[in-house]
Amino acid sequence: MIDAEPILISALNQYLFCPRRCALMHIEGIWADNEHTIKGALLHEHTDEPGYEAVDGVTLLRALPLVSERYGLTGKADIVEVREDGYIPVEYKKGKRRKFDNDDVQLCAQAFCLEEMFACEVSVGYIYHASSKRRREVILDWRLRAETERVIQAVRDLLRD
């Protein structure tokens, strides 16, 4: 169990995009919306409204609060698909796939929380890219898990120091 303040899962994404931006947002509290963040907020309108629905035998949980004591994380999942074989996080993004792994790390951190909360194994998740209206499968293998753990520690160090 981590004794420090929990880290927002979204901070991991911000850190990989730009550590300075992460510090400005999460240490200094500096943030200004722009065209891209406003479009992203509009995309998340439906997923940010807590609730659930069943579609073709799959239960979709929207805005599910997430927590991990082991990793000291907190946040929420846009969508979690509950299927017979387990839980699958789905992260919504407004644009196309970026060249960085920031979205994949964010998704993997969500999986860490789901695994701890539901005592299950999460081996796959999806990033839904609104610009293409497609979702991309993300395999939550040992490499991505190790990178996610590294980034959690880097963000913790940044916030502490």
Side-chain angles (χ1 to χ4, degrees):
M1 180 174 152
I2 305 290
D3 290 333
E5 285 288 314
I7 294 171
L8 288 174
I9 293 170
S10 59
L12 307 177
N13 192 315
Q14 296 298 335
Y15 179 86
L16 281 172
F17 182 76
C18 175
R20 183 173 186 275
R21 177 178 171 170
C22 180
L24 288 170
M25 291 173 68
H26 297 281
I27 296 171
E28 301 297 329
I30 297 172
W31 173 255
D33 277 320
N34 61 37
E35 169 191 354
H36 303 289
T37 61
I38 291 169
K39 285 180 180 176
L42 291 172
L43 169 68
H44 280 89
E45 256 181 11
H46 184 65
T47 62
D48 284 345
E49 186 177 316
Y52 72 93
E53 60 190 281
V55 178
D56 297 328
V58 176
T59 301
L60 304 176
L61 306 176
R62 290 187 311 272
L64 180 68
L66 298 173
V67 64
S68 168
E69 289 186 21
R70 177 181 176 194
Y71 292 101
L73 297 171
T74 188
K76 68 179 174 178
D78 290 339
I79 298 284
V80 175
E81 295 180 0
V82 182
R83 299 174 174 269
E84 281 185 23
D85 58 346
Y87 297 82
I88 301 172
V90 181
E91 179 65 22
Y92 277 57
K93 298 299 178 185
K94 81 167 190 63
K96 59 185 177 185
R97 181 176 184 179
R98 300 178 189 144
K99 60 182 173 184
F100 305 106
D101 291 334
N102 48 334
D103 295 339
D104 295 9
V105 164
Q106 181 179 2
L107 188 71
C108 188
Q110 292 175 11
F112 286 170
C113 294
L114 290 170
E115 290 174 338
E116 187 172 326
M117 291 168 58
F118 297 108
C120 66
E121 184 178 324
V122 180
S123 60
V124 67
Y126 293 93
I127 308 282
Y128 175 79
H129 298 279
S131 64
S132 64
K133 294 184 174 39
R134 293 185 175 211
R135 65 188 208 168
R136 174 176 58 85
E137 184 178 69
V138 178
I139 303 299
L140 305 171
D141 62 13
W142 69 269
R143 285 182 184 95
L144 180 56
R145 289 172 179 273
E147 174 65 0
T148 302
E149 289 179 3
R150 183 195 70 76
V151 174
I152 291 168
Q153 188 58 52
V155 171
R156 187 168 312 290
D157 293 345
L158 175 77
L159 297 176
R160 183 191 63 237
D161 297 339

